Amino acid sequence: MAPPTKLNFRVATPADASIIHPLVEAAYRGDESRLGWTTEADLISGKRIDAADLLVKITDPDGAVLIATTTTTNIPGQEKKEKEAVKVEEEVVVGCCEVVARRTTSTAGNPKTAYFGMFAVSPRRQGGGIGRQVLAYAEAYCRREWGTERMEMTVIPSRSELLEWYMRRGYASTGEARPFPFEELEKLNSVALVEDLSFQVLEKDLRVVVVPADNAAAVEVES
């Protein structure tokens, strides 16, 4: 098995919105999303998120949008002929996610639960371990920044492969179902292609170390 792609992580700023937006759209909607296995193209047509809502997530004081980047080395075509070609390193955004602290009056300083969402990996790079690293980093970020004990997410039940992937990472169904936000689709001029869309809630205890069932390589994350 090839070693996982080496990633660098940072918290997104408003200046990053223009590079995050096309990544999220490509991972979930349209023909490009069909290159990966996270596509929702058969369930929903239209936009996944608009620029204004993305900016709200990036600037949310109770949350963060995390970016995963890798470095590629390019050799300009004309310089390949030179004895000593000039190499140009370029930062490429390959993944992102959103985390939100679920704050209440009793846990304002130390939220026990955080929400994980807007999880996107470039469709052309899926299957190489990037998603595992993004998820592991998000969990570690929430523990470090907020003292989070549980991570929560919502998944469309019909996406069985995605549900199984999360369960191999230690997530389990809470038994709770939540309604799908069809009003958000209307705002984006998007259309549901099936009638029975809903969300299943998954949760993981971040105090427990989970060894993935598929023997995925461990990911080193700052603590």
Side-chain angles (χ1 to χ4, degrees):
M1 181 182 294
T5 302
K6 179 175 174 55
L7 300 179
N8 299 307
F9 293 90
R10 59 184 172 85
V11 176
T13 69
D16 294 311
S18 62
I19 57 177
I20 297 172
H21 194 201
L23 171 67
V24 173
E25 294 298 322
Y28 287 96
R29 305 290 166 80
D31 289 338
E32 185 175 357
S33 72
R34 298 182 190 277
L35 297 174
W37 61 282
T38 61
T39 180
E40 293 176 345
D42 292 329
L43 302 175
I44 303 165
S45 68
K47 294 180 182 179
R48 174 66 165 72
I49 191 171
D50 63 18
D53 286 341
L54 177 57
L55 192 60
V56 168
K57 293 179 182 295
I58 291 173
T59 58
D60 183 355
D62 286 332
V65 173
L66 306 176
I67 297 177
T69 68
T70 189
T71 301
T72 60
T73 302
N74 296 321
I75 302 177
Q78 293 299 318
E79 294 172 348
K80 290 182 182 179
K81 300 177 182 179
E82 301 295 331
K83 188 174 182 180
E84 294 183 0
V86 177
K87 295 181 179 180
V88 179
E89 290 193 344
E90 179 183 3
E91 181 188 64
V92 179
V93 176
V94 295
C96 70
C97 68
E98 169 198 19
V99 288
V100 182
R102 297 298 200 198
R103 300 188 187 278
T104 65
T105 303
S106 60
T107 63
N110 184 17
K112 291 185 177 181
T113 302
Y115 171 79
F116 175 85
M118 203 176 71
F119 184 27
V121 174
S122 170
R124 298 179 185 274
R125 293 175 179 264
Q126 291 180 22
I130 291 175
R132 293 193 293 268
Q133 293 184 70
V134 173
L135 179 59
Y137 186 86
E139 293 170 352
Y141 178 92
C142 293
R143 288 195 300 264
R144 181 178 68 246
E145 297 296 322
W146 303 322
T148 300
E149 297 179 358
R150 293 182 299 274
M151 185 74 91
E152 172 188 281
M153 65 178 65
T154 55
V155 180
I156 297 173
S158 62
R159 302 185 67 196
S160 57
E161 289 185 358
L162 188 56
L163 284 168
E164 291 169 3
W165 187 87
Y166 282 124
M167 289 176 180
R168 292 197 296 272
R169 322 245 93 69
Y171 287 83
S173 174
T174 65
E176 178 186 356
R178 293 179 185 171
F180 191 86
F182 289 100
E183 66 279 1
E184 293 296 320
L185 294 185
E186 293 180 9
K187 187 179 73 172
L188 295 169
N189 292 319
S190 298
V191 178
L193 303 177
V194 296
E195 297 181 354
D196 58 346
L197 288 177
S198 63
F199 281 135
Q200 181 175 343
V201 180
L202 304 184
E203 189 176 84
K204 177 180 178 178
D205 188 340
L206 298 185
R207 297 168 297 180
V208 178
V209 177
V210 176
V211 177
D214 53 9
N215 295 318
V219 178
E220 292 185 6
V221 184
E222 294 179 5
S223 58

